Amino acid sequence: QKEVEQDPGPLSVPEGAIVSLNCTYSNSAFQYFMWYRQYSRKGPELLMYTYSSGNKEDGRFTAQVDKSSKYISLFIRDSQPSDSATYLCAMRSGFGNEKLTFGTGTRLTIIP
Amino acid sequence: GAVVSQHPSWVICKSGTSVKIECRSLDFQATTMFWYRQFPKQSLMLMATSNEGSKATYEQGVEKDKFLINHASLTLSTLTVTSAHPEDSSFYICSATRLAGGPSPSSGANVLTFGAGSRLTVL
């Protein structure tokens, strides 16, 4: 079993829809959770960063962490074609320079 | 914000040659840099952790003699693919973290910033 599980998709939704992306994990030591967006042939860029359980909102993006269920989510409201990308969840246990554990990424396409 | 520059963005080489990829943190000092490899439609695979002034730590299954990593300064790490073969063709991405000792954990100060990646094609 992988430490982090993420549905690879592909996921296609119409423009304006709410998108829900999810990851589950098995390591209860994970405390720091991130979502990265990666456009084709580009490096990942950080979208959201969350410490421990709870919600965090930034514009059209909301990140949720439920440590009791070992489940994290990223919601995208009013989705735009420019949101079409691969979304990777990532997490780590420490605050320092520990390596991240990534999900496999979900390919998302927003249909105009 | 933090910027990580990676060069070259695209390189084609002949089988048997060596290729060097540079990763620079432009506006911050990075004690630790990470090198990843990504195959098409797959996630990032960590190859090694590069620490300034010391030897890199390689992940299991990664040949240290083939993928030479040098982290000579707080702003530069290099990955050299030695005697490259077609199976080494991939997308290589570096990332860097800021120096430890930043603000509170929830601020996000110690997150990874990625370079734009380097696409290597070995003929």
Side-chain angles (χ1 to χ4, degrees):
Chain A
Q1 183 188 8
K2 293 180 182 178
E3 272 194 300
V4 179
E5 298 277 0
Q6 184 176 9
D7 187 342
L11 177 64
S12 296
V13 299
E15 182 176 356
I18 296 175
V19 177
S20 173
L21 304 168
N22 312 293
C23 288
T24 59
Y25 62 95
S26 58
N27 187 345
S28 58
F30 287 140
Q31 296 188 77
Y32 299 87
F33 304 92
M34 285 137 275
W35 285 95
Y36 285 86
R37 177 175 63 194
Q38 185 177 24
Y39 292 111
S40 180
R41 303 191 178 195
K42 298 291 185 183
E45 58 177 320
L46 181 67
L47 274 180
M48 300 290 284
Y49 176 95
T50 308
Y51 169 66
S52 194
S53 285
N55 296 352
K56 188 172 185 179
E57 188 174 321
D58 184 5
R60 297 185 295 110
F61 298 91
T62 299
Q64 288 186 351
V65 175
D66 182 349
K67 289 188 67 181
S68 63
S69 301
K70 298 189 180 67
Y71 186 88
I72 69 171
S73 300
L74 176 71
F75 297 97
I76 307 174
R77 292 184 300 279
D78 188 24
S79 55
Q80 306 293 313
S82 58
D83 296 328
S84 298
T86 295
Y87 290 80
L88 299 128
C89 64
M91 49 199 77
R92 67 170 184 237
S93 56
F95 174 64
N97 293 326
E98 295 177 38
K99 62 183 182 183
L100 290 178
T101 301
F102 281 90
T104 53
T106 300
R107 292 188 65 197
L108 172 67
T109 301
I110 306 300
I111 305 168
Chain B
V3 176
V4 174
S5 173
Q6 198 170 334
H7 178 81
S9 58
W10 185 40
V11 57
I12 300 174
C13 69
K14 291 182 179 180
S15 184
T17 61
S18 295
V19 175
K20 180 184 284 188
I21 301 170
E22 292 186 348
C23 180
R24 294 180 184 273
S25 55
L26 296 186
D27 55 355
F28 66 101
Q29 294 180 320
T31 54
T32 302
M33 290 184 173
F34 300 89
W35 286 95
Y36 293 84
R37 184 173 181 175
Q38 187 177 35
F39 291 103
K41 301 183 181 181
Q42 295 189 25
S43 189
L44 287 79
M45 183 191 79
L46 180 66
M47 299 175 65
T49 302
S50 169
N51 296 297
E52 187 267 336
S54 63
K55 291 183 179 180
T57 303
Y58 290 81
E59 295 298 302
Q60 190 174 10
V62 178
E63 299 176 59
K64 60 180 66 176
D65 292 332
K66 181 165 189 62
F67 299 100
L68 299 179
I69 291 173
N70 184 284
H71 195 155
S73 75
L74 286 171
T75 59
L76 174 64
S77 176
T78 60
L79 167 68
T80 301
V81 183
T82 62
S83 186
H85 292 285
E87 58 265 30
D88 298 323
S89 299
S90 189
F91 193 50
Y92 293 88
I93 311 175
C94 71
S95 65
T97 57
R98 291 182 179 271
L99 287 171
S104 63
S106 60
S107 73
N110 270 19
V111 295
L112 285 180
T113 300
F114 285 86
S118 299
R119 183 162 301 281
L120 171 63
T121 301
V122 184
L123 302 176

